Amino acid sequence: MDTPEKKKVIFSAIQPSGTITLGNYLGALRNWVKLQDDYHCIFAVADLHAVTVRQEPKNFRQNILNAYALLLACGIDTEKSLFFIQSHVHTHAELAWLLDCYTQFGELSRMTQFKDKSLKHADNVNAGLFTYPSLMAADILLYQADMVPVGADQKQHLELSRNIAERFNGIYGNTFTVPDPYISTVGARVMSLQDPSKKMSKSDENVNAWVAVLDKPDTIMKKFKRAVTDSEAVVCVGEGKDGINNLIGIMSAVTGKTSDEITAEFEGKGYGDFKTAVAEAVIEELRPIQERFEDYISNKDYLAEQYRKSAEIALKISQRTLDKAMKKIGFLAK
Ligand code: TYM
């Protein structure tokens, strides 16, 4: 008799920094939902990562809960996947410290996100901002994840996670699974609607640059109508057309149509019509999520039951890996 093939393990996480954007949704969340049937999926709200920038305590607490509820509303199913809050599972911070000691200053200095964020928060370039990638490596390696579904902006951090795992395994023998990035072909890099040379980011001060998953339909329409384009007025992918390329990418990710199909559909039509159509497609995609979010967020007991149950299981799994790594390093057993 054939033994069934063991399901591969997937790990990914998202920071609860207020606004969860269309970029997060198309680049990551939507793929997580699709992977749940075929993989052993583990997802987290990465609240420990979020304190690398200053958080207002009351808002922070609410944002963590909102992120948990919103991911459930997007379709993360706790019957199929483990879905917990990072700070509820203490092994993450513990392994992160150990991995810090196997990560080089030079490697962390090369992280483009560190360089960008330290420019943006010049008054708070803290050590956590610098060592953030080794916490991310700990998140992944604790669960022996085979694959990590992320947007393109996280690729460099994942390469570092692989290097850390390989280095540790090279010194002590096989301890961690070396994870592969899983970056989808559509939606992996959703750009700002106001400056399409930059990624869509919730930390952008210009609120017209991003669309939030929870933005109201008329806000979404307004933001797309204001999107920066070019003067050519032809809906097709091309050089120097970053704004239109981005809108075609969003349309393609939401509707499943190819860019050629979209170009054919909008032949002879202006950018105004196209922007309205993209906004309408996005509004329809987000509508059921927004409705489900309202249900989840008004049921705090249900949310607590789900994140507590998941954290307990996550602790058991991750403790095994932490114990193994500590034993290999030579710590004295308790
Ligand atoms: P975060 O919270 O910035 O983003 C969550 C996910 O959304 C993707 N993403 C995008 N994809 C396409 N276009 C965009 N404009 C866009 N903006 C964001 C990100 O690539 C990510 O997949 N450090 C991580 C969170 C994290 C993590 C982990 C991820 C903590 N531990 C372990 C994977 C594995 C972060 O800040 O993502």
Side-chain angles (χ1 to χ4, degrees):
M1 206 176 83
D2 285 341
T3 44
E5 219 181 295
K6 205 168 155 261
K7 278 188 183 176
K8 290 202 165 185
V9 178
I10 292 243
F11 181 91
S12 203
I14 184 166
Q15 290 197 56
S17 2
T19 312
I20 290 185
T21 68
L22 186 64
N24 296 133
Y25 176 71
L26 295 178
L29 303 180
R30 212 172 55 138
N31 301 322
W32 299 4
V33 173
K34 288 186 201 149
L35 293 164
Q36 293 182 107
D37 287 320
D38 298 326
Y39 295 90
H40 179 50
C41 288
I42 305 173
F43 301 120
V45 172
D47 55 348
L48 292 173
H49 279 88
V51 294
T52 52
V53 295
R54 200 73 71 227
Q55 302 285 344
E56 195 284 310
K58 195 160 163 264
N59 289 343
F60 185 40
R61 209 170 291 127
Q62 188 62 51
N63 287 342
I64 297 168
L65 198 63
N66 285 355
Y68 196 86
L70 186 56
L71 264 64
L72 292 182
C74 285
I76 300 300
D77 180 348
T78 50
E79 294 286 314
K80 297 179 185 165
S81 304
L82 207 52
F83 176 37
F84 61 94
I85 294 170
Q86 186 189 29
S87 65
H88 292 180
V89 185
H90 57 77
T91 44
H92 289 246
E94 291 170 37
L95 184 63
W97 165 252
L98 298 178
L99 297 185
D100 275 344
C101 303
Y102 297 83
T103 309
Q104 298 302 307
F105 182 87
E107 289 176 304
L108 292 171
S109 312
R110 284 193 289 277
M111 294 295 114
T112 53
Q113 202 172 83
F114 171 69
K115 291 188 220 167
D116 292 347
K117 287 206 175 170
S118 42
L119 283 178
K120 213 172 204 163
H121 304 278
D123 56 340
N124 186 20
V125 185
N126 58 70
L129 196 64
F130 188 62
T131 60
Y132 164 120
S134 45
L135 175 59
M136 192 165 148
D139 297 341
I140 299 166
L141 302 185
L142 276 171
Y143 301 93
Q144 308 288 2
D146 298 289
M147 267 177 16
V148 185
V150 283
D153 62 314
Q154 293 297 326
K155 193 162 178 264
Q156 198 186 26
H157 289 159
L158 271 184
E159 275 159 12
L160 182 59
S161 298
R162 287 175 60 87
N163 291 344
I164 297 171
E166 279 166 355
R167 180 171 306 138
F168 197 99
N169 290 348
I171 302 170
Y172 301 107
N174 206 6
T175 312
F176 300 121
T177 302
V178 180
D180 283 320
Y182 176 97
I183 299 174
S184 78
T185 43
V186 285
R189 198 186 284 278
V190 178
M191 308 309 276
S192 153
L193 298 183
Q194 291 296 311
D195 175 359
S197 65
K198 289 196 313 198
K199 76 163 180 176
M200 181 181 282
S201 165
K202 49 202 159 199
S203 58
D204 203 312
E205 275 157 27
N206 184 346
V207 293
N208 291 316
W210 43 262
V211 168
V213 174
L214 292 177
D215 271 347
K216 298 223 158 29
D218 54 337
T219 309
I220 298 177
M221 183 58 78
K222 212 163 55 197
K223 287 181 178 177
F224 274 106
K225 281 194 170 158
R226 288 189 184 155
V228 169
T229 49
D230 55 80
S231 54
E232 202 184 71
V234 181
V235 178
C236 66
V237 172
E239 229 172 279
K241 291 170 68 78
D242 290 351
I244 284 294
N245 295 346
N246 187 36
L247 295 182
I248 291 178
I250 293 172
M251 188 69 157
S252 172
V254 172
T255 61
K257 292 178 186 162
T258 64
S259 48
D260 286 345
E261 285 166 346
I262 295 168
T263 300
E265 192 179 330
F266 288 89
E267 202 187 329
K269 295 197 179 136
Y271 285 167
D273 288 344
F274 181 53
K275 286 179 180 180
T276 305
V278 178
E280 279 168 355
V282 169
I283 290 167
E284 286 321 309
E285 172 83 10
L286 300 182
R287 193 188 301 281
I289 297 174
Q290 299 187 348
E291 287 167 6
R292 286 194 294 266
F293 173 77
E294 291 307 327
D295 288 342
Y296 282 120
I297 202 64
S298 57
N299 196 343
K300 307 247 177 330
D301 290 344
Y302 176 78
L303 295 176
E305 195 188 309
Q306 298 307 308
Y307 61 65
R308 286 193 186 126
K309 189 176 71 183
S310 281
E312 238 173 75
I313 302 171
L315 179 60
K316 278 203 191 112
I317 301 174
S318 58
Q319 188 75 57
R320 257 183 264 144
T321 306
L322 179 65
D323 288 350
K324 183 172 164 191
M326 290 184 76
K327 190 169 171 203
K328 296 230 177 182
I329 295 171
F331 285 98
L332 187 64
K334 277 187 254 182

